[in-house]
Amino acid sequence: MSTEQQLPPEVGTLREYSEAPFERRTEWAEEGDLVRITGPEEDHHMAAHPDLVEQVLFEEDGFVKFEGYNSVFGQGMVTVYGDQWRAQRGTIQPAFQPGKIRSYAETIRDIVADTVTDIGDGDVIDLRELFTDLTMEVMLETLFGGSGNKAEISAAAGRITEWFLETATAGEVPTSVQSDFERGMDELTEMIHGMIEERRGGDVDGDLLSMLVSIGAAGEADYTDDRIRDEMITMLFGAHETTALTLTYTLYLLADAPDVGQTLREELQTVLDGADPGPEHLDELVYTEQVVDEALRLYCPAHSLFREATEDVQLGGYTIPEGDVLYLPQWVIHRDERWWDEPTTFRPERFAEDDPDRPSFAFFPFGAGPRRCIGESFARAEAKLALAGLADAFEFERLTETFDMHASLTAVPDRPIEMRFHERT
Ligand code: HEM
């Protein structure tokens, strides 16, 4: 074997990895920036250095996204490539322009205000449940134009989320979870096809779904009804679970950091002055954004990006053979002490200034390069406004001190994270 064809050093097996993915990734990263995990079929490799992240995500050559979840996303933007991807991304992009985000922020203001009103002094709240509900409502009101039955869509999405978790952790999916998954997909398909018909009848207008229906299969991206369904399911899962987890972890961290809470509330006092947070406040909520960024650093919902090599690829002096899987782990890189001082400390101020010694891709919660998250500014606006509204109205008392994490499609807590909300006077 020549030097160019050398494989990365082996650190363990896929079986060991799947027993404790977060711990194993951290341990194994200490053995090198690019390491190999052997599997019964293909091997997996972990590239835990910002320069390797940059190379893979910007050059893109030789890798495709991991296809494990294509049965959910079908031909949505997240799974397609080349001209087809460019056409779909180009068609959807206008729904995420700054003007649109500002109009979504108006809707978010109302939903956050209603959420604040519904919470009573001393209520014990399951954070993930609260934020899954909030982000689902935001998504249905904005991208789906307020149509669709929230309870039914949430129930179907819940069945699919359960399947994500089982496929990621159990290897073999129990029959009941598989049949619930199929039921959830059928229900979503039927609901979205119903919404498409409503738009054809001219009953709803002005949202992303209406835009796709009016462009339709005649447009460059060939939006047949099935592709529209796939795109909306992609948006549904891209948009709500990730943002809900971001807010869950943000409040969990904040409740144990009184100094951060104080600085945050001083900003809210100055910027909001008692008003409900909305689009006009977004640019001024500077520290609020640092709090969100710091939560995204420590508990990034996208705990790792996955790619599959479509040919032998040279990376970091090693060869990643065709058919093998590559991980780019935010979980490890965001906590690496080479780039982050006191990496496990929650200190939002570290985002106040760019550290010239820190490589750009030591922080990539929304990915990087051409496939970077299309919904980043949407998610940032939503997280900032929800955090601002809740932290201005309540103090948080942690009832769940610790939890473990499951490496599903996203990084999910293994138990409810509960908190008591105390009204601020
Ligand atoms: C805090 C919240 C969010 C996080 C952490 C997040 C994270 C990510 C990451 C890491 C990627 C890149 C995946 C890869 O390269 O393999 C991605 C892509 C994507 N995200 Fe997000 N996301 C969030 C919110 C959203 C929202 C609100 C939407 C839609 C409204 C969305 C829609 C998408 C889509 C469609 C893609 C695929 C883009 C493409 O392939 O061109 N995400 N997201």
Side-chain angles (χ1 to χ4, degrees), residues 165-195:
L165 183 61
E166 288 289 340
T167 42
T169 52
E172 201 161 315
V173 179
T175 321
S176 60
V177 175
Q178 183 63 31
S179 60
D180 274 0
F181 163 73
E182 284 160 20
R183 186 174 146 207
M185 286 300 292
D186 288 347
E187 289 167 341
L188 278 185
T189 299
E190 199 181 315
M191 286 186 262
I192 294 173
H193 281 308
M195 293 183 209

PDB file of all heavy atoms in Angstrom, residues 165-195:
ATOM      1  N   LEU A 165     -35.260   7.408  16.380  1.00  0.00           N
ATOM      2  CA  LEU A 165     -34.516   7.034  17.583  1.00  0.00           C
ATOM      3  C   LEU A 165     -34.193   5.542  17.578  1.00  0.00           C
ATOM      4  O   LEU A 165     -33.058   5.136  17.852  1.00  0.00           O
ATOM      5  CB  LEU A 165     -35.351   7.396  18.823  1.00  0.00           C
ATOM      6  CG  LEU A 165     -34.694   7.146  20.166  1.00  0.00           C
ATOM      7  CD1 LEU A 165     -33.429   7.970  20.295  1.00  0.00           C
ATOM      8  CD2 LEU A 165     -35.651   7.533  21.300  1.00  0.00           C
ATOM      9  N   GLU A 166     -35.177   4.735  17.229  1.00  0.00           N
ATOM     10  CA  GLU A 166     -34.950   3.290  17.236  1.00  0.00           C
ATOM     11  C   GLU A 166     -33.937   2.884  16.166  1.00  0.00           C
ATOM     12  O   GLU A 166     -33.068   2.054  16.417  1.00  0.00           O
ATOM     13  CB  GLU A 166     -36.272   2.532  16.994  1.00  0.00           C
ATOM     14  CG  GLU A 166     -37.215   2.581  18.164  1.00  0.00           C
ATOM     15  CD  GLU A 166     -36.753   1.747  19.362  1.00  0.00           C
ATOM     16  OE1 GLU A 166     -35.915   0.850  19.193  1.00  0.00           O
ATOM     17  OE2 GLU A 166     -37.243   2.006  20.477  1.00  0.00           O
ATOM     18  N   THR A 167     -34.025   3.445  14.969  1.00  0.00           N
ATOM     19  CA  THR A 167     -33.077   3.058  13.919  1.00  0.00           C
ATOM     20  C   THR A 167     -31.665   3.442  14.327  1.00  0.00           C
ATOM     21  O   THR A 167     -30.710   2.745  14.019  1.00  0.00           O
ATOM     22  CB  THR A 167     -33.368   3.726  12.553  1.00  0.00           C
ATOM     23  OG1 THR A 167     -33.713   5.077  12.790  1.00  0.00           O
ATOM     24  CG2 THR A 167     -34.475   3.064  11.789  1.00  0.00           C
ATOM     25  N   ALA A 168     -31.551   4.558  15.050  1.00  0.00           N
ATOM     26  CA  ALA A 168     -30.200   5.009  15.420  1.00  0.00           C
ATOM     27  C   ALA A 168     -29.642   4.213  16.601  1.00  0.00           C
ATOM     28  O   ALA A 168     -28.444   3.997  16.682  1.00  0.00           O
ATOM     29  CB  ALA A 168     -30.225   6.484  15.777  1.00  0.00           C
ATOM     30  N   THR A 169     -30.504   3.760  17.510  1.00  0.00           N
ATOM     31  CA  THR A 169     -29.970   3.153  18.732  1.00  0.00           C
ATOM     32  C   THR A 169     -30.130   1.634  18.785  1.00  0.00           C
ATOM     33  O   THR A 169     -29.302   0.942  19.330  1.00  0.00           O
ATOM     34  CB  THR A 169     -30.644   3.752  19.996  1.00  0.00           C
ATOM     35  OG1 THR A 169     -32.049   3.660  19.843  1.00  0.00           O
ATOM     36  CG2 THR A 169     -30.272   5.191  20.214  1.00  0.00           C
ATOM     37  N   ALA A 170     -31.216   1.114  18.220  1.00  0.00           N
ATOM     38  CA  ALA A 170     -31.477  -0.311  18.432  1.00  0.00           C
ATOM     39  C   ALA A 170     -30.964  -1.204  17.306  1.00  0.00           C
ATOM     40  O   ALA A 170     -30.913  -2.417  17.449  1.00  0.00           O
ATOM     41  CB  ALA A 170     -32.983  -0.519  18.603  1.00  0.00           C
ATOM     42  N   GLY A 171     -30.571  -0.600  16.174  1.00  0.00           N
ATOM     43  CA  GLY A 171     -30.150  -1.431  15.041  1.00  0.00           C
ATOM     44  C   GLY A 171     -31.378  -2.014  14.371  1.00  0.00           C
ATOM     45  O   GLY A 171     -31.823  -1.524  13.353  1.00  0.00           O
ATOM     46  N   GLU A 172     -31.980  -3.027  14.996  1.00  0.00           N
ATOM     47  CA  GLU A 172     -33.185  -3.613  14.407  1.00  0.00           C
ATOM     48  C   GLU A 172     -34.418  -2.924  15.011  1.00  0.00           C
ATOM     49  O   GLU A 172     -34.552  -2.859  16.232  1.00  0.00           O
ATOM     50  CB  GLU A 172     -33.226  -5.097  14.693  1.00  0.00           C
ATOM     51  CG  GLU A 172     -34.121  -5.822  13.734  1.00  0.00           C
ATOM     52  CD  GLU A 172     -33.778  -7.313  13.729  1.00  0.00           C
ATOM     53  OE1 GLU A 172     -32.564  -7.621  13.678  1.00  0.00           O
ATOM     54  OE2 GLU A 172     -34.694  -8.118  13.818  1.00  0.00           O
ATOM     55  N   VAL A 173     -35.291  -2.441  14.131  1.00  0.00           N
ATOM     56  CA  VAL A 173     -36.438  -1.677  14.632  1.00  0.00           C
ATOM     57  C   VAL A 173     -37.573  -2.630  15.016  1.00  0.00           C
ATOM     58  O   VAL A 173     -37.962  -3.481  14.211  1.00  0.00           O
ATOM     59  CB  VAL A 173     -36.918  -0.714  13.527  1.00  0.00           C
ATOM     60  CG1 VAL A 173     -38.115   0.094  13.986  1.00  0.00           C
ATOM     61  CG2 VAL A 173     -35.783   0.203  13.122  1.00  0.00           C
ATOM     62  N   PRO A 174     -38.117  -2.523  16.233  1.00  0.00           N
ATOM     63  CA  PRO A 174     -39.247  -3.378  16.617  1.00  0.00           C
ATOM     64  C   PRO A 174     -40.422  -3.222  15.640  1.00  0.00           C
ATOM     65  O   PRO A 174     -40.645  -2.132  15.111  1.00  0.00           O
ATOM     66  CB  PRO A 174     -39.635  -2.865  18.010  1.00  0.00           C
ATOM     67  CG  PRO A 174     -38.470  -2.083  18.489  1.00  0.00           C
ATOM     68  CD  PRO A 174     -37.743  -1.579  17.295  1.00  0.00           C
ATOM     69  N   THR A 175     -41.147  -4.331  15.428  1.00  0.00           N
ATOM     70  CA  THR A 175     -42.238  -4.318  14.443  1.00  0.00           C
ATOM     71  C   THR A 175     -43.261  -3.225  14.731  1.00  0.00           C
ATOM     72  O   THR A 175     -43.742  -2.554  13.813  1.00  0.00           O
ATOM     73  CB  THR A 175     -42.985  -5.683  14.470  1.00  0.00           C
ATOM     74  OG1 THR A 175     -41.995  -6.680  14.649  1.00  0.00           O
ATOM     75  CG2 THR A 175     -43.756  -5.935  13.211  1.00  0.00           C
ATOM     76  N   SER A 176     -43.578  -3.016  16.026  1.00  0.00           N
ATOM     77  CA  SER A 176     -44.611  -2.026  16.338  1.00  0.00           C
ATOM     78  C   SER A 176     -44.132  -0.619  15.947  1.00  0.00           C
ATOM     79  O   SER A 176     -44.908   0.206  15.448  1.00  0.00           O
ATOM     80  CB  SER A 176     -44.949  -2.063  17.830  1.00  0.00           C
ATOM     81  OG  SER A 176     -43.793  -1.770  18.580  1.00  0.00           O
ATOM     82  N   VAL A 177     -42.836  -0.341  16.162  1.00  0.00           N
ATOM     83  CA  VAL A 177     -42.306   0.991  15.811  1.00  0.00           C
ATOM     84  C   VAL A 177     -42.321   1.156  14.282  1.00  0.00           C
ATOM     85  O   VAL A 177     -42.675   2.219  13.750  1.00  0.00           O
ATOM     86  CB  VAL A 177     -40.877   1.171  16.379  1.00  0.00           C
ATOM     87  CG1 VAL A 177     -40.268   2.477  15.921  1.00  0.00           C
ATOM     88  CG2 VAL A 177     -40.895   1.084  17.895  1.00  0.00           C
ATOM     89  N   GLN A 178     -41.949   0.068  13.576  1.00  0.00           N
ATOM     90  CA  GLN A 178     -41.946   0.121  12.115  1.00  0.00           C
ATOM     91  C   GLN A 178     -43.363   0.371  11.588  1.00  0.00           C
ATOM     92  O   GLN A 178     -43.562   1.204  10.707  1.00  0.00           O
ATOM     93  CB  GLN A 178     -41.379  -1.206  11.566  1.00  0.00           C
ATOM     94  CG  GLN A 178     -41.250  -1.268  10.040  1.00  0.00           C
ATOM     95  CD  GLN A 178     -40.263  -0.227   9.479  1.00  0.00           C
ATOM     96  OE1 GLN A 178     -39.279   0.145  10.130  1.00  0.00           O
ATOM     97  NE2 GLN A 178     -40.538   0.265   8.276  1.00  0.00           N
ATOM     98  N   SER A 179     -44.355  -0.319  12.167  1.00  0.00           N
ATOM     99  CA  SER A 179     -45.708  -0.122  11.624  1.00  0.00           C
ATOM    100  C   SER A 179     -46.249   1.249  12.012  1.00  0.00           C
ATOM    101  O   SER A 179     -46.949   1.889  11.229  1.00  0.00           O
ATOM    102  CB  SER A 179     -46.667  -1.265  11.990  1.00  0.00           C
ATOM    103  OG  SER A 179     -46.758  -1.345  13.372  1.00  0.00           O
ATOM    104  N   ASP A 180     -45.880   1.754  13.207  1.00  0.00           N
ATOM    105  CA  ASP A 180     -46.274   3.125  13.566  1.00  0.00           C
ATOM    106  C   ASP A 180     -45.643   4.142  12.613  1.00  0.00           C
ATOM    107  O   ASP A 180     -46.252   5.144  12.240  1.00  0.00           O
ATOM    108  CB  ASP A 180     -45.806   3.465  14.984  1.00  0.00           C
ATOM    109  CG  ASP A 180     -46.817   3.013  16.021  1.00  0.00           C
ATOM    110  OD1 ASP A 180     -47.854   2.441  15.632  1.00  0.00           O
ATOM    111  OD2 ASP A 180     -46.554   3.209  17.223  1.00  0.00           O
ATOM    112  N   PHE A 181     -44.383   3.860  12.262  1.00  0.00           N
ATOM    113  CA  PHE A 181     -43.672   4.742  11.331  1.00  0.00           C
ATOM    114  C   PHE A 181     -44.415   4.800   9.992  1.00  0.00           C
ATOM    115  O   PHE A 181     -44.683   5.881   9.454  1.00  0.00           O
ATOM    116  CB  PHE A 181     -42.239   4.228  11.128  1.00  0.00           C
ATOM    117  CG  PHE A 181     -41.552   4.787   9.921  1.00  0.00           C
ATOM    118  CD1 PHE A 181     -41.114   6.099   9.907  1.00  0.00           C
ATOM    119  CD2 PHE A 181     -41.351   4.007   8.781  1.00  0.00           C
ATOM    120  CE1 PHE A 181     -40.482   6.630   8.787  1.00  0.00           C
ATOM    121  CE2 PHE A 181     -40.725   4.536   7.661  1.00  0.00           C
ATOM    122  CZ  PHE A 181     -40.294   5.840   7.667  1.00  0.00           C
ATOM    123  N   GLU A 182     -44.787   3.615   9.487  1.00  0.00           N
ATOM    124  CA  GLU A 182     -45.477   3.579   8.194  1.00  0.00           C
ATOM    125  C   GLU A 182     -46.818   4.308   8.287  1.00  0.00           C
ATOM    126  O   GLU A 182     -47.205   5.034   7.380  1.00  0.00           O
ATOM    127  CB  GLU A 182     -45.655   2.126   7.725  1.00  0.00           C
ATOM    128  CG  GLU A 182     -44.324   1.599   7.205  1.00  0.00           C
ATOM    129  CD  GLU A 182     -44.213   0.083   7.162  1.00  0.00           C
ATOM    130  OE1 GLU A 182     -45.257  -0.592   7.163  1.00  0.00           O
ATOM    131  OE2 GLU A 182     -43.066  -0.415   7.137  1.00  0.00           O
ATOM    132  N   ARG A 183     -47.487   4.124   9.430  1.00  0.00           N
ATOM    133  CA  ARG A 183     -48.761   4.825   9.636  1.00  0.00           C
ATOM    134  C   ARG A 183     -48.524   6.347   9.637  1.00  0.00           C
ATOM    135  O   ARG A 183     -49.239   7.103   8.985  1.00  0.00           O
ATOM    136  CB  ARG A 183     -49.346   4.373  10.978  1.00  0.00           C
ATOM    137  CG  ARG A 183     -50.696   4.914  11.235  1.00  0.00           C
ATOM    138  CD  ARG A 183     -51.280   4.325  12.514  1.00  0.00           C
ATOM    139  NE  ARG A 183     -52.105   5.321  13.168  1.00  0.00           N
ATOM    140  CZ  ARG A 183     -52.351   5.387  14.457  1.00  0.00           C
ATOM    141  NH1 ARG A 183     -51.820   4.507  15.282  1.00  0.00           N
ATOM    142  NH2 ARG A 183     -53.129   6.317  14.954  1.00  0.00           N
ATOM    143  N   GLY A 184     -47.481   6.777  10.370  1.00  0.00           N
ATOM    144  CA  GLY A 184     -47.162   8.206  10.440  1.00  0.00           C
ATOM    145  C   GLY A 184     -46.885   8.782   9.055  1.00  0.00           C
ATOM    146  O   GLY A 184     -47.369   9.869   8.714  1.00  0.00           O
ATOM    147  N   MET A 185     -46.125   8.040   8.226  1.00  0.00           N
ATOM    148  CA  MET A 185     -45.809   8.529   6.876  1.00  0.00           C
ATOM    149  C   MET A 185     -47.088   8.614   6.034  1.00  0.00           C
ATOM    150  O   MET A 185     -47.289   9.585   5.305  1.00  0.00           O
ATOM    151  CB  MET A 185     -44.787   7.598   6.192  1.00  0.00           C
ATOM    152  CG  MET A 185     -43.370   7.711   6.717  1.00  0.00           C
ATOM    153  SD  MET A 185     -42.637   9.377   6.556  1.00  0.00           S
ATOM    154  CE  MET A 185     -42.470   9.550   4.785  1.00  0.00           C
ATOM    155  N   ASP A 186     -47.952   7.579   6.149  1.00  0.00           N
ATOM    156  CA  ASP A 186     -49.222   7.606   5.381  1.00  0.00           C
ATOM    157  C   ASP A 186     -50.082   8.790   5.816  1.00  0.00           C
ATOM    158  O   ASP A 186     -50.680   9.479   4.984  1.00  0.00           O
ATOM    159  CB  ASP A 186     -50.026   6.310   5.610  1.00  0.00           C
ATOM    160  CG  ASP A 186     -49.368   5.125   4.914  1.00  0.00           C
ATOM    161  OD1 ASP A 186     -48.465   5.353   4.077  1.00  0.00           O
ATOM    162  OD2 ASP A 186     -49.735   3.970   5.221  1.00  0.00           O
ATOM    163  N   GLU A 187     -50.131   9.018   7.130  1.00  0.00           N
ATOM    164  CA  GLU A 187     -50.961  10.128   7.620  1.00  0.00           C
ATOM    165  C   GLU A 187     -50.437  11.469   7.107  1.00  0.00           C
ATOM    166  O   GLU A 187     -51.203  12.310   6.633  1.00  0.00           O
ATOM    167  CB  GLU A 187     -50.969  10.149   9.156  1.00  0.00           C
ATOM    168  CG  GLU A 187     -51.753   8.996   9.757  1.00  0.00           C
ATOM    169  CD  GLU A 187     -51.514   8.825  11.267  1.00  0.00           C
ATOM    170  OE1 GLU A 187     -50.497   9.348  11.796  1.00  0.00           O
ATOM    171  OE2 GLU A 187     -52.318   8.154  11.906  1.00  0.00           O
ATOM    172  N   LEU A 188     -49.108  11.647   7.198  1.00  0.00           N
ATOM    173  CA  LEU A 188     -48.544  12.919   6.714  1.00  0.00           C
ATOM    174  C   LEU A 188     -48.797  13.095   5.223  1.00  0.00           C
ATOM    175  O   LEU A 188     -49.146  14.187   4.759  1.00  0.00           O
ATOM    176  CB  LEU A 188     -47.032  12.968   6.979  1.00  0.00           C
ATOM    177  CG  LEU A 188     -46.578  13.369   8.380  1.00  0.00           C
ATOM    178  CD1 LEU A 188     -45.060  13.483   8.424  1.00  0.00           C
ATOM    179  CD2 LEU A 188     -47.198  14.708   8.803  1.00  0.00           C
ATOM    180  N   THR A 189     -48.607  12.000   4.471  1.00  0.00           N
ATOM    181  CA  THR A 189     -48.837  12.063   3.024  1.00  0.00           C
ATOM    182  C   THR A 189     -50.263  12.520   2.746  1.00  0.00           C
ATOM    183  O   THR A 189     -50.506  13.440   1.963  1.00  0.00           O
ATOM    184  CB  THR A 189     -48.597  10.675   2.389  1.00  0.00           C
ATOM    185  OG1 THR A 189     -47.239  10.318   2.636  1.00  0.00           O
ATOM    186  CG2 THR A 189     -48.858  10.682   0.900  1.00  0.00           C
ATOM    187  N   GLU A 190     -51.202  11.895   3.433  1.00  0.00           N
ATOM    188  CA  GLU A 190     -52.604  12.233   3.187  1.00  0.00           C
ATOM    189  C   GLU A 190     -52.884  13.695   3.565  1.00  0.00           C
ATOM    190  O   GLU A 190     -53.532  14.431   2.820  1.00  0.00           O
ATOM    191  CB  GLU A 190     -53.483  11.301   4.027  1.00  0.00           C
ATOM    192  CG  GLU A 190     -54.906  11.245   3.512  1.00  0.00           C
ATOM    193  CD  GLU A 190     -55.751  10.328   4.393  1.00  0.00           C
ATOM    194  OE1 GLU A 190     -55.286   9.224   4.749  1.00  0.00           O
ATOM    195  OE2 GLU A 190     -56.854  10.755   4.742  1.00  0.00           O
ATOM    196  N   MET A 191     -52.334  14.130   4.712  1.00  0.00           N
ATOM    197  CA  MET A 191     -52.597  15.507   5.144  1.00  0.00           C
ATOM    198  C   MET A 191     -51.996  16.510   4.150  1.00  0.00           C
ATOM    199  O   MET A 191     -52.639  17.497   3.789  1.00  0.00           O
ATOM    200  CB  MET A 191     -52.043  15.739   6.546  1.00  0.00           C
ATOM    201  CG  MET A 191     -52.886  15.061   7.627  1.00  0.00           C
ATOM    202  SD  MET A 191     -52.340  15.488   9.292  1.00  0.00           S
ATOM    203  CE  MET A 191     -51.320  14.105   9.728  1.00  0.00           C
ATOM    204  N   ILE A 192     -50.764  16.228   3.715  1.00  0.00           N
ATOM    205  CA  ILE A 192     -50.118  17.200   2.813  1.00  0.00           C
ATOM    206  C   ILE A 192     -50.822  17.207   1.449  1.00  0.00           C
ATOM    207  O   ILE A 192     -51.057  18.277   0.876  1.00  0.00           O
ATOM    208  CB  ILE A 192     -48.605  16.941   2.706  1.00  0.00           C
ATOM    209  CG1 ILE A 192     -47.960  17.205   4.075  1.00  0.00           C
ATOM    210  CG2 ILE A 192     -47.964  17.839   1.642  1.00  0.00           C
ATOM    211  CD1 ILE A 192     -46.506  16.853   4.189  1.00  0.00           C
ATOM    212  N   HIS A 193     -51.215  16.034   0.969  1.00  0.00           N
ATOM    213  CA  HIS A 193     -51.961  16.022  -0.304  1.00  0.00           C
ATOM    214  C   HIS A 193     -53.266  16.816  -0.160  1.00  0.00           C
ATOM    215  O   HIS A 193     -53.660  17.547  -1.074  1.00  0.00           O
ATOM    216  CB  HIS A 193     -52.209  14.594  -0.791  1.00  0.00           C
ATOM    217  CG  HIS A 193     -50.982  13.990  -1.449  1.00  0.00           C
ATOM    218  ND1 HIS A 193     -50.286  14.611  -2.450  1.00  0.00           N
ATOM    219  CD2 HIS A 193     -50.304  12.837  -1.214  1.00  0.00           C
ATOM    220  CE1 HIS A 193     -49.243  13.879  -2.822  1.00  0.00           C
ATOM    221  NE2 HIS A 193     -49.221  12.784  -2.075  1.00  0.00           N
ATOM    222  N   GLY A 194     -53.898  16.715   1.015  1.00  0.00           N
ATOM    223  CA  GLY A 194     -55.122  17.494   1.270  1.00  0.00           C
ATOM    224  C   GLY A 194     -54.835  18.989   1.213  1.00  0.00           C
ATOM    225  O   GLY A 194     -55.591  19.764   0.620  1.00  0.00           O
ATOM    226  N   MET A 195     -53.702  19.389   1.808  1.00  0.00           N
ATOM    227  CA  MET A 195     -53.348  20.824   1.803  1.00  0.00           C
ATOM    228  C   MET A 195     -53.042  21.290   0.379  1.00  0.00           C
ATOM    229  O   MET A 195     -53.336  22.435   0.009  1.00  0.00           O
ATOM    230  CB  MET A 195     -52.123  21.064   2.682  1.00  0.00           C
ATOM    231  CG  MET A 195     -52.355  20.824   4.150  1.00  0.00           C
ATOM    232  SD  MET A 195     -50.826  21.250   5.033  1.00  0.00           S
ATOM    233  CE  MET A 195     -50.913  20.167   6.418  1.00  0.00           C
TER     234      MET A 195
END
